[in-house]
Amino acid sequence: MKHLVLSAVLMITLSAATAQTRLAIKAGYNHNTARIHIRDVKQPTGNQPGINLGLQLKADFEPPLHFTGLVSYNMRGFTLTPLASDTDKLETKMHYLNLAPMLSYDIATGKTEHITFTAGPMAGLGISGTQKITTAGVVNSSKMNFSTAVNYGLFDLAIYSSVGYHFNKVFLEASYYLGFVSINNNEEGDRTNIKNRGLGVSLGYYLR
């Protein structure tokens, strides 16, 4: 996955050398949470703040339809207050590298302004994380272990969608991240299903 992300960055950079593409950088705020079920019972969850940083390519496909590729870093996480448990609270912060091949559609609102709707799949690679577990008022912190077999899942898969208002070189974008695979590898044992969710707001700038 790391090689895939690096290859995508290189591909986006090389593609941006053509006249039919635009390359942008963007950054912003994530409002994260998760959908969690324990033994098929939905659990109370809360939000965790985070940030997003990205490199985005927009290439002509069939205007006003475009191909939009995104390579990004996202800080995600959630808080959990489990029902019927000795644990009072679980807080997580997770760091992901993401790759998203998407389609976008432009609606012109002026000579250089337009509204853009974007959607597509997003694959995530968990690179690190921390969790705090509060039990009887005592807080214990530890690193989160990401793997393909146990602990938290190394990969996340989601649908990413956004709507943005684009000026000549600057754009403002609101996005929604909907994870549809559980990031808990131990689900068969503890019957805990965890799917990432999140809202985001980003400010972007076209380099060309």
Side-chain angles (χ1 to χ4, degrees):
M1 182 68 182
K2 290 182 180 179
H3 295 295
L4 181 61
V5 172
L6 291 174
S7 298
V9 173
L10 179 60
M11 183 175 63
I12 286 176
T13 303
L14 292 175
S15 298
T18 68
Q20 291 76 29
T21 63
R22 301 190 74 186
L23 184 65
I25 54 174
K26 64 179 185 178
Y29 168 78
N30 287 341
H31 193 64
N32 305 294
T33 188
R35 174 185 175 273
I36 302 177
H37 284 76
I38 300 177
R39 295 178 176 85
D40 298 322
V41 177
K42 188 175 181 180
Q43 303 294 306
T45 57
N47 301 301
Q48 283 279 38
I51 62 171
N52 63 76
L53 302 169
L55 180 67
Q56 183 168 292
L57 168 75
K58 186 174 182 180
D60 285 350
F61 181 64
E62 193 68 37
L65 190 65
H66 299 82
F67 168 77
T68 298
L70 174 65
V71 176
S72 63
Y73 157 79
N74 285 273
M75 181 188 293
R76 304 200 181 277
F78 58 87
T79 64
L80 166 66
T81 307
L83 302 172
S85 172
D86 293 334
T87 299
D88 299 325
K89 190 176 183 180
L90 169 66
E91 301 175 73
T92 68
K93 289 184 179 181
M94 299 172 286
H95 306 275
Y96 284 93
L97 291 178
N98 295 103
L99 174 63
M102 301 175 289
L103 291 177
S104 58
Y105 188 88
D106 293 345
I107 299 177
T109 58
K111 289 185 177 180
T112 59
E113 299 85 21
H114 57 270
I115 297 173
T116 298
F117 297 92
T118 304
M122 175 173 275
L125 173 69
I127 52 177
S128 68
T130 58
Q131 62 180 8
K132 293 181 180 179
I133 300 176
T134 303
T135 305
V138 178
V139 179
N140 290 302
S141 299
S142 62
K143 291 184 178 180
M144 299 173 69
N145 296 315
F146 294 88
S147 75
T148 57
V150 296
N151 301 312
Y152 290 94
L154 184 62
F155 303 111
D156 192 18
L157 195 60
I159 293 296
Y160 179 91
S161 59
S162 69
V163 57
Y165 194 84
H166 294 238
F167 301 92
N168 185 24
K169 281 202 167 187
V170 178
F171 61 91
L172 181 65
E173 184 178 82
S175 61
Y176 181 60
Y177 181 92
L178 178 66
F180 57 84
V181 298
S182 177
I183 61 170
N184 178 28
N185 284 331
N186 302 321
E187 186 173 347
E188 289 188 6
D190 58 25
R191 296 181 62 187
T192 301
N193 182 284
I194 306 171
K195 295 178 181 176
N196 283 321
R197 299 283 192 272
L199 298 170
V201 178
S202 303
L203 183 64
Y205 180 79
Y206 283 105
L207 300 175
R208 54 163 296 159

